[in-house]
Amino acid sequence: KQEVTQIPAALSVPEGENLVLNCSFTDSAIYNLQWFRQDPGKGLTSLLLIQSSQREQTSGRLNASLDKSSGRSTLYIAASQPGDSATYLCAVHTGTASKLTFGTGTRLQVTL
Amino acid sequence: NAGVTQTPKFRVLKTGQSMTLLCAQDMNHEYMYWYRQDPGMGLRLIHYSVGEGTTAKGEVPDGYNVSRLKKQNFLLGLESAAPSQTSVYFCASRTEQVGGYSNQPQHFGDGTRLSIL
């Protein structure tokens, strides 16, 4: 059974800092990995999707990497801003019908 | 841009009552999913559908039923609500893969907060 772990569970950084969020998964037979953002009381917003054949994806200040063989992904956020404060979730797609297995998330707070 | 819309947004039920949660998407997506989110446990898949008229069980299907009579709607039913079903429920949808690659993200609604007393 696929298990997804995110470390740390919570993180507080001052504005402007670069930071890395970690995601690990136990079964390397994945089709893709997604990073989501969740604001309090809201749904999930897809940030980046990395296919299993890719090593990284970039969108603005966000960069996600994937090392499928070691079961790891990182989300790098450059020059953090207070508006980046949210919970970040990673999820892996394994099996048919694009079923996702989620981690429990990292709650990020960016302070002024 | 409506995307994925969930109805209702909040609901309080008594143990034993029944209710239906509605998910509607206007993106003509083939795949639809129901998840529940509980503190410390992440999102877990309840049921999913790969097309109109089809449904399948996910990781935690017990106590729930679903129907996909129309492509744009995916209904989640609780026949006899239990306190253990207190949770936030999320619906998601996704289009088919493009070019044989698994490159399409899931799109989520804003959730239904359900409390069962």
Side-chain angles (χ1 to χ4, degrees):
Chain A
K1 178 185 175 183
Q2 180 73 269
E3 293 183 1
V4 181
T5 303
Q6 291 187 247
I7 295 173
L11 182 63
S12 181
V13 301
E15 181 180 14
E17 234 181 60
N18 302 324
L19 58 101
V20 175
L21 307 180
N22 297 293
C23 173
S24 62
F25 46 95
T26 55
D27 185 352
S28 61
I30 66 170
Y31 291 95
N32 65 48
L33 183 145
Q34 281 187 250
W35 282 95
F36 293 89
R37 170 187 173 135
Q38 185 176 27
D39 293 291
K42 294 293 186 180
L44 281 66
T45 300
S46 181
L47 298 173
L48 291 164
L49 182 151
I50 310 177
Q51 297 180 53
S52 62
S53 59
Q54 297 175 323
R55 298 286 290 181
E56 65 179 284
Q57 279 282 354
T58 298
S59 176
R61 294 183 294 108
L62 305 179
N63 176 277
S65 67
L66 174 64
D67 184 343
K68 197 173 76 163
S69 61
S70 67
R72 294 179 182 177
S73 176
T74 62
L75 179 66
Y76 174 83
I77 302 177
S80 59
Q81 303 171 358
D84 295 330
S85 298
T87 296
Y88 291 81
L89 299 163
C90 74
V92 295
H93 165 197
T94 52
T96 59
S98 296
K99 290 180 286 185
L100 293 177
T101 301
F102 282 85
T104 52
T106 294
R107 189 172 66 254
L108 173 65
Q109 183 175 13
V110 181
T111 58
L112 292 171
Chain B
N1 292 338
V4 178
T5 303
Q6 294 185 231
T7 308
K9 297 188 184 306
F10 303 93
R11 187 72 182 269
V12 178
L13 290 178
K14 294 181 179 179
T15 297
Q17 287 185 318
S18 64
M19 78 162 295
T20 300
L21 280 64
L22 171 64
C23 176
Q25 52 92 6
D26 61 0
M27 297 173 283
N28 201 35
H29 285 173
E30 288 293 330
Y31 297 83
M32 296 188 75
Y33 310 84
W34 275 108
Y35 296 91
R36 60 178 289 173
Q37 185 177 36
D38 302 293
M41 299 191 74
L43 278 82
R44 293 178 292 169
L45 182 65
I46 304 171
H47 285 281
Y48 64 98
S49 169
V50 300
E52 181 179 319
T54 72
T55 63
K57 294 180 180 180
E59 182 184 358
V60 288
D62 293 342
Y64 305 95
N65 56 74
V66 288
S67 64
R68 183 107 182 261
L69 299 180
K70 294 182 179 181
K71 185 178 183 179
Q72 64 268 34
N73 295 338
F74 195 28
L75 278 63
L76 178 70
L78 286 72
E79 292 185 346
S80 179
S84 61
Q85 294 177 305
T86 294
S87 188
V88 182
Y89 292 86
F90 287 100
C91 177
S93 70
R94 193 196 73 121
T95 190
E96 290 188 272
Q97 299 177 172
V98 175
Y101 296 100
S102 181
N103 55 7
Q104 300 302 314
Q106 290 190 15
H107 299 263
F108 282 76
D110 283 344
T112 294
R113 283 143 190 83
L114 182 62
S115 293
I116 302 176
L117 307 177

